């Protein structure tokens, strides 16, 4: 079992930035655990190739507070940047390891994968994000259409098919623009107009408005299997069949996972202070799980704040 000063769960932007901040402050025995085969699994899985990664995500400007930062660039450039941080700061990551339990042992915590004790850490940083649990619609998805319904991008994007995208955020807008011209694209959003989409994406949607059919103010009531396609029944009585449906409804906080670890919740939000420290002393939450609407810059800054706080509150960690 590894004995660590800081054990970080999740090697996305938040976890990597926490590793960088710890290493820069001379903290020894820092280790990341990542359930995917590579770092930034969420970004690799959910961002389409060449996606523009916005620094001011959802139109919110976040001033960089710590070491990690970036300017708007492509997915591939962003992943290169993260790889360089890992190399430059000699960040140690163990891949293919899902941590799903914490157990208190004296002043430390044991990080567990099932019944296996993986590491003992004095400080734990949980940076697991929210996108492992995509939000799902309230109506059931019939078994017969399940393979036509997606909550993340499939390996191969559809071509020449009739596609419905459900959602009104940047992810829905970017996917609609990506598929416009290649597929017959429909976009269903329950509000009468977009209000969460950033300027760039609004402009892109405007440019492609001939290629995208908008169902604004539309609510889906149910899905049915119909002649090898998915029939969508809308609340207004109209129905239409599609070859595939992509839900872009965002992610949700992994409440059960965190509660099992002993993290308290109030109003469905984890109870943390302004630095991300939870009700469990020396257990910090950073990145998407620590905030309602996350972004990469927020993830970077939350890592910086947590590590700064750790050093102020627990100065002995530099000696461990
Ligand atoms: C389609 C899409 C487009 C987006 N575009 C932008 C954009 O342009 N600009 C922007 O700023 N933000 C964007 N975002 C949001 C941004 O991706 C997130 O805010 C950011 O990735 C949060 O970083 P994180 O490290 O908190 O979580 P994540 O990036 O989700 O990383 C969490 C990591 O933890 C790992 N993990 C999860 N559970 C465990 C476990 N139990 N054990 C070990 N490892 C675990 C995961 O595999 C993953 O690698 C977008 C999001 C999506 C879905």
């Amino acid at each position: 079992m590894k004995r660590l000063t800081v054990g970080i769960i999740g090697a996305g932007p938040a976890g990597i930035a926490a590793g960088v901040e710890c290493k820069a402050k001379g903290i020894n025995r820092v280790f990341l655990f990542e359930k995917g085969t590579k770092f930034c699994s969420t970004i690799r899985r959910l961002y389409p190739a060449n996606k523009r990664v916005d620094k001011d995500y959802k139109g919110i400007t976040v001033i960089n507070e710590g070491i990690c930062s970036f300017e708007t660039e492509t997915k591939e450039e962003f992943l290169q940047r993260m790889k360089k941080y890992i190399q430059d700061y000699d960040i140690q990551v163990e891949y293919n390891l899902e941590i799903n339990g914490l157990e208190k042992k004296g002043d430390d915590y044991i990080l567990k994968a099932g019944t296996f004790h993986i590491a003992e850490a004095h400080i734990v940083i949980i940076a697991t994000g929210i996108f492992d649990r995509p939000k799902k619609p309230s109506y059931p998805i019939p078994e017969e259409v399940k393979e036509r319904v997606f909550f993340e991008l499939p390996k191969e994007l559809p071509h020449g098919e009739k596609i419905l995208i459900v959602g009104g955020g940047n992810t829905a807008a970017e996917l609609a623009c990506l598929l416009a011209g290649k597929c017959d694209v429909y976009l269903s959003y329950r509000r009468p107009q977009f209000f969460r989409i950033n300027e760039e994406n609004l402009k892109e949607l405007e440019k492609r408005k001939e290629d995208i059919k908008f169902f604004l103010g539309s609510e889906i009531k149910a899905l049915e299997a119909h002649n090898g396609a998915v029939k969508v029944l809308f609340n207004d009585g109209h129905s239409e069949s599609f070859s595939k449906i992509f839900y872009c409804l965002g992610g949700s906080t992994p409440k059960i996972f965190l509660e099992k670890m002993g993290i308290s919740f109030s109003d469905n939000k984890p109870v943390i202070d302004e630095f991300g420290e939870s009700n469990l002393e020396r257990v910090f939450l950073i990145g998407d799980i620590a905030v309602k609407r996350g972004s990469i810059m927020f993830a970077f800054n939350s890592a910086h704040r947590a590590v700064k706080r750790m050093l102020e509150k627990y100065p002995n960690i530099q000696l461990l």
Side-chain angles (χ1 to χ4, degrees):
M1 189 164 64
K2 291 182 177 67
R3 289 185 189 283
L4 305 175
T5 309
V6 183
I8 301 171
I9 311 173
I16 295 169
V20 166
E21 298 280 346
C22 286
K23 288 308 234 7
K25 292 283 185 282
I27 302 172
N28 294 313
R29 296 188 294 137
V30 177
F31 212 94
L32 273 75
F33 300 95
E34 165 58 48
K35 72 185 225 182
T37 54
K38 291 186 176 155
F39 62 90
C40 289
S41 289
T42 303
I43 289 177
R44 289 176 195 274
R45 214 177 67 234
L46 300 183
Y47 290 18
N50 291 317
K51 172 188 151 40
R52 192 190 65 244
V53 185
D54 291 315
K55 182 179 187 193
D56 296 341
Y57 190 46
K58 297 182 176 160
I60 301 168
T61 305
V62 181
I63 308 292
N64 157 38
E65 294 172 18
I67 297 168
C68 297
S69 185
F70 75 109
E71 292 303 324
T72 296
E73 58 193 0
T74 64
K75 166 186 177 178
E76 291 70 19
E77 287 164 341
F78 181 78
L79 289 174
Q80 277 305 318
R81 173 184 303 279
M82 298 313 287
K83 184 175 176 186
K84 193 161 181 327
Y85 279 132
I86 291 176
Q87 286 168 346
D88 290 354
Y89 287 84
D90 191 22
I91 307 289
Q92 306 292 308
V93 190
E94 183 162 349
Y95 293 101
N96 295 312
L97 193 61
E98 179 170 356
I99 300 294
N100 50 23
L102 274 191
E103 198 176 293
K104 190 100 178 20
K105 186 185 171 204
D107 268 354
D108 292 348
Y109 290 92
I110 295 175
L111 278 66
K112 293 174 21 180
T115 53
F116 293 100
H117 289 194
I118 303 299
E120 197 175 312
H122 191 58
I123 304 249
V124 177
I125 298 183
I126 306 178
T128 49
I130 57 168
F131 287 104
D132 279 353
R133 287 156 195 83
K135 277 193 194 141
K136 303 217 163 151
S138 52
Y139 45 86
I141 313 270
E143 204 50 52
E144 311 90 283
V145 301
K146 274 198 171 139
E147 60 183 26
R148 297 185 170 275
V149 173
F150 297 84
F151 294 93
E152 61 182 66
L153 290 178
K155 284 214 168 62
E156 263 182 52
L157 287 177
H159 224 273
E161 298 182 46
K162 187 175 172 189
I163 300 294
L164 178 68
I165 297 166
V166 184
N170 288 301
T171 305
E174 287 173 10
L175 185 59
C177 292
L178 182 75
L179 296 180
K182 301 183 189 81
C183 287
D184 197 5
V185 178
Y186 292 70
L187 181 60
S188 163
Y189 183 39
R190 66 195 158 85
R191 292 181 190 263
Q193 59 197 41
F194 297 111
F195 80 108
R196 289 195 287 124
I197 296 183
N198 64 27
E199 285 281 303
E200 290 279 333
N201 285 334
L202 278 176
K203 277 189 216 146
E204 288 297 313
L205 281 179
E206 179 62 28
K207 268 197 240 159
R208 286 157 211 261
K209 66 177 185 212
E210 303 296 317
D211 295 323
I212 303 171
K213 282 135 207 120
F214 295 93
F215 290 159
L216 292 178
S218 70
E219 289 252 20
I220 297 173
K221 197 164 70 177
L223 304 184
E224 282 175 6
H226 180 71
N227 290 342
V230 197
K231 186 170 172 185
V232 179
L233 289 87
F234 292 92
N235 262 352
D236 62 3
H238 133 253
S239 65
E240 189 143 355
S241 289
F242 299 91
S243 133
K244 291 191 173 111
I245 304 188
F246 290 87
Y247 285 93
C248 303
L249 305 175
S252 55
T253 309
K255 192 168 179 234
I256 296 170
F257 162 80
L258 291 173
E259 278 185 333
K260 211 178 108 207
M261 291 188 163
I263 308 286
S264 298
F265 271 72
S266 166
D267 283 342
N268 266 333
K269 286 188 284 222
V271 178
I272 50 173
D273 67 15
E274 61 191 293
F275 309 102
E277 191 168 10
S278 68
N279 56 300
L280 301 179
E281 221 185 6
R282 296 188 311 284
V283 177
F284 290 77
L285 268 56
I286 61 169
D288 275 2
I289 47 165
V291 72
K292 190 151 186 272
R293 290 213 167 86
S295 71
I296 293 167
M297 280 309 297
F298 172 80
F300 286 165
N301 283 352
S302 66
H304 169 74
R305 267 179 248 153
V307 174
K308 188 165 175 267
R309 173 66 167 175
M310 268 160 46
L311 287 162
E312 285 162 6
K313 196 169 168 194
Y314 310 108
N316 66 325
I317 60 170
Q318 260 172 323
L319 309 171
L320 294 175

